[in-house]
C-alpha cells in the first residue's frame, strides 16, 4: 500500500484529503507544515507528497526544495494542492521540483486520478 505524505496547515483540509486517500486504499501520514513534513519524511517511507503552498514555518515551495536534496526524494512525485492558481507560482513550484499542481477546492476523483498517474 503506497504511503502519501499530506501536508496542509488546515486541519479540515488534511481530514478531507486523508479521507479521500484512505478510501482509495492509500496509507496517509499527515503534517501540519513544511517543517513537520520534512521531519516525518526523514523517518517514514513516503511514495508521494501532497503539499499546500502557503503554510507557516516552512511553505510548500521551501519544502519541495528541501526534499529534492534528499536522495530518497530525488524522484518521489510531489504534487501541490493549493488555492494558488497563478502562473508565476506554478512556475516557481515547477522550478523547485513539483511534479504537478492541483487547485483547491479539489475534486476527489481528479485528485485520485492525478495521484494514480504519477505514483510508482
Amino acid at each position: 500500500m503506497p504511503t502519501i505524505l499530506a501536508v496542509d496547515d488546515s486541519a479540515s483540509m488534511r481530514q478531507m484529503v486523508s479521507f479521500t486517500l484512505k478510501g482509495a486504499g492509500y496509507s496517509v501520514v499527515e503534517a501540519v507544515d513544511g517543517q513537520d513534513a520534512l521531519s516525518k519524511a526523514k523517518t517514514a517511507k513516503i511514495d508521494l507528497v501532497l503539499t499546500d503552498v502557503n503554510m507557516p514555518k516552512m511553505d510548500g515551495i521551501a519544502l519541495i526544495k528541501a526534499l529534492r536534496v534528499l536522495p530518497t526524494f530525488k524522484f518521489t512525485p510531489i504534487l501541490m494542492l493549493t488555492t494558488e492558481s497563478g502562473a508565476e507560482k506554478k512556475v516557481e513550484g515547477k522550478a523547485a521540483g513539483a511534479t504537478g499542481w492541483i487547485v483547491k477546492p479539489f475534486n476527489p476523483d481528479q485528485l485520485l486520478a492525478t495521484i494514480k498517474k504519477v505514483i510508482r
Side-chain angles (χ1 to χ4, degrees):
M1 173 184 328
T3 300
I4 297 175
L5 176 59
V7 190
D8 201 304
D9 59 324
S10 163
S12 60
M13 183 54 69
R14 283 194 315 273
Q15 282 181 326
M16 284 190 292
V17 168
S18 255
F19 179 80
T20 300
L21 298 176
K22 287 177 180 175
Y26 294 105
S27 177
V28 179
V29 174
E30 295 183 26
V32 299
D33 59 40
Q35 279 186 347
D36 187 30
L38 193 56
S39 172
K40 290 177 176 171
K42 291 177 179 176
T43 59
K45 183 190 175 306
I46 303 296
D47 299 292
L48 182 141
V49 178
L50 186 62
T51 183
D52 189 11
V53 172
N54 299 312
M55 297 180 289
K57 295 183 184 174
M58 177 187 276
D59 69 16
I61 302 291
L63 172 62
I64 292 172
K65 290 177 181 174
L67 287 173
R68 288 298 186 211
V69 298
L70 301 174
T72 53
F73 282 89
K74 189 172 181 179
F75 300 109
T76 302
I78 302 176
L79 297 174
M80 308 294 292
L81 179 62
T82 180
T83 55
E84 294 278 351
S85 61
E88 195 173 298
K89 274 288 186 189
K90 286 183 182 179
V91 169
E92 189 179 352
K94 193 78 172 171
T99 308
W101 195 278
I102 301 169
V103 177
K104 295 177 189 171
F106 69 94
N107 172 313
D109 292 334
Q110 179 197 11
L111 176 65
L112 293 173
T114 303
I115 287 171
K116 191 174 179 181
K117 198 182 303 180
V118 298
I119 204 164
R120 294 177 199 139

